Amino acid sequence: EHQVLKDFQTVLDCTGLTGEVGPLRFYPTTTVEDLAKKLPEVDLNGDYVVIHPPSRWLFKEWLPEHWTKVADTIAKEFDCRIVFSCGPDAREREMVAAIRKAFGGEHATTDGQFNIDGFGRLLGGAKMFLGVDTVAMHLAAAMQTRIVALFGPSSEWSWHPWKCRHELVLGDCECKRTRKFVCDKSKPYPCMSGIGPDAVLTAARKLNGSTPGAHPSLLQLHD
């Protein structure tokens, strides 16, 4: 079962309460004006896509050169700005900086300067979120942002985005079936590096065409 269901049922069993599990919800208090001060180059009420390449666990990450191709293609095909996000950790910031360098700094970045509340507000106005299995992915789900999530060693049946529109791109991982992981954890697992950019782009295109009409703007989410 999904981890949300497990946790929800644990609370019911311990308290004697009853209920039905709903979607995750997050209600940021950061204003659009606050975000604009940190991302003045991005129209926060326009079309932008958030891409979150890093993970706390290196073996969950995807290859930077793949993110470069995906970001460039999506920006052109979807006619939108790309906002790369990362945490404040120096390694994460350096990773995103290296990816952006391939574009001459054309795409924007949070540069690890957003707290959870501000990042939630940013995700709430995004046309789409792309990333690996991270807290950022789950926060995007809580903001009901459309998600393309890459899974290799993670158990997607337990950790996929909960009750929001999403597409999963799965790397073939023999170890996941036995839960005996033998690969080098200091770099992306082969099941992650084996995912090609075309598979991620196919998922993004499918998701982009799944729900016609404008996505919620930050102003609409202000309340």
Side-chain angles (χ1 to χ4, degrees), residues 11 18 24 27-28 34 83 85 101 118 134 147 150 165 167 189:
V11 172
T18 60
L24 298 176
Y27 301 96
D34 290 335
V83 179
S85 64
K101 188 177 181 180
T134 60
I147 296 171
L150 284 65
R165 292 174 299 222
E167 290 289 329
Y189 275 180

Side-chain angles (χ1 to χ4, degrees), residues 7-20:
D7 293 342
F8 188 78
Q9 190 59 49
T10 297
V11 172
L12 296 187
D13 291 345
C14 291
T15 62
L17 297 172
T18 60
E20 296 293 330

Side-chain angles (χ1 to χ4, degrees), residues 105-123:
E106 176 185 350
H107 299 311
T109 176
T110 64
D111 196 31
Q113 303 304 306
F114 282 43
N115 60 18
I116 292 292
D117 190 87
F119 190 38
R121 176 67 72 183
L122 180 70
L123 290 170

Side-chain angles (χ1 to χ4, degrees), residues 7-50:
D7 293 342
F8 188 78
Q9 190 59 49
T10 297
V11 172
L12 296 187
D13 291 345
C14 291
T15 62
L17 297 172
T18 60
E20 296 293 330
V21 62
L24 298 176
R25 294 292 189 190
F26 184 72
Y27 301 96
T29 59
T30 300
T31 65
V32 177
E33 291 74 22
D34 290 335
L35 286 189
K37 293 175 184 177
K38 295 184 177 181
L39 280 176
E41 69 274 33
V42 178
D43 179 3
L44 296 176
N45 285 308
D47 284 341
Y48 64 91
V49 169
V50 175

